[in-house]
Every structure is written in C-alpha cells, then in structure tokens.
Amino acid sequence: MTWTFVLIIIAGIIVKFLTSPPSALVGWFLDKFELHPKIDAAESTVLFDGEYLDEDEKSRFIDSFNKAQFLNKNHIFPGKEELFLHPETNITPYIVHFKKKNKEMTFHVFSYENHVDVVKQWKKKMASYTINSEYLQQDVLADSKPHNV
C-alpha cells in the first residue's frame, strides 16, 4: 500500500513537471534555438569598414541590435550563400564577432532605410533574417546624407 502511494506521488510530480516545466529550463531550451540572440558587449567585437568601433559606439550598436524587433526570416537556398554575404549594393556591413560559451557566431548587419538585414554564421551554417531598429536605420541615413564642406 505504501509503495502504491509513493508511485502515485512520483507519477504526479513527473506529470506536473512535463506539463509546466520550470522557467529556467524553458529559457535554456529557447536560447538554444533562437535565431536572433542577445549579444553581450563584453564578449563581442564590432567592425565597420575594417576598423573596430570604440567602446561607446560598440555598446550603442549592440544595445540597439539586442532591442531590435524581429520581422521575418529570409530563406537561403543552397548555393546562394554568397549573395547574402556580399549583396550587390554599395552598403558596407557591420561585422559582429560574438563568442558565447563554446559557440562562435558572426553577424553581417546591412542597414537600409526601412529595415536591417542580418546574416548569421555559426559553424558551417548560415541564416538570414530581417529586423527593425530605428538606431541602425538612422545610422545609415546619417551616412548617406551629403556633407557640406
């Protein structure tokens, strides 16, 4: 009789755990598969036109990148990877190198007037998606305006 009661309690705990797992476990599972991860400024470097950004610019860039709104995923067909890394535009991308634990990722960030395209590379995989960030889009508008001499 006692063993039956113990088995029922253990089965109840397992069912309860499977139907509503702890938030830490859910967070770990979602972080493992998210397309647009949060980047830590301390563990990343940001390059623009071959030069590293200084700490203030880097932290502003990464903060706006982290707060950006995810719009949609762009499908990359096999053999077309180079078109996403080197599009036929005159836009110079920001290149973000980020290392999280044992995973290294590289982001190529292309800022346009109405959206921002991101190409994420890790291991031998590649994904592309579009985000919306006012700061990153304003940055490209400021660079494209003619300067008075």
Side-chain angles (χ1 to χ4, degrees):
M1 186 72 174
T2 313
W3 286 105
T4 308
F5 184 69
V6 170
L7 289 176
I8 289 173
I9 289 178
I10 291 174
I13 291 171
I14 290 173
V15 168
K16 174 66 176 165
F17 183 76
L18 291 176
T19 56
S20 61
S23 59
L25 181 65
V26 172
W28 172 82
F29 187 75
L30 292 177
D31 285 346
K32 191 139 182 86
F33 296 105
E34 70 183 339
L35 186 60
H36 182 65
K38 301 294 183 210
I39 296 177
D40 184 18
E43 298 178 9
S44 63
T45 58
V46 181
L47 288 140
F48 181 72
D49 203 18
E51 296 181 13
Y52 290 100
L53 296 182
D54 63 15
E55 288 300 318
D56 288 340
E57 290 178 20
K58 180 177 99 169
S59 62
R60 276 189 301 230
F61 179 87
I62 290 177
D63 186 46
S64 63
F65 183 82
N66 288 339
K67 291 180 181 177
Q69 180 184 10
F70 180 85
L71 296 178
N72 63 334
K73 180 179 178 182
N74 305 321
H75 297 285
I76 300 176
F77 296 105
K80 303 292 184 186
E81 292 88 1
E82 283 298 314
L83 294 176
F84 284 89
L85 284 176
H86 306 289
E88 296 179 4
T89 63
N90 58 356
I91 295 176
T92 305
Y94 288 90
I95 300 174
V96 180
H97 297 286
F98 177 59
K99 185 171 183 173
K100 182 178 182 180
K101 296 181 184 173
N102 60 349
K103 188 187 270 189
E104 291 186 31
M105 293 177 260
T106 303
F107 297 90
H108 298 266
V109 182
F110 297 92
S111 298
Y112 298 97
E113 291 182 20
N114 56 356
H115 68 281
V116 178
D117 286 335
V118 178
V119 179
K120 175 183 170 184
Q121 292 180 300
W122 72 105
K123 296 182 185 179
K124 294 183 180 179
K125 300 177 185 177
M126 182 183 297
S128 175
Y129 57 95
T130 303
I131 58 175
N132 184 15
S133 171
E134 285 186 32
Y135 175 78
L136 296 177
Q137 291 167 215
Q138 288 174 356
D139 189 32
V140 82
L141 290 175
D143 290 341
S144 65
K145 291 180 182 175
H147 301 291
N148 295 332
V149 179

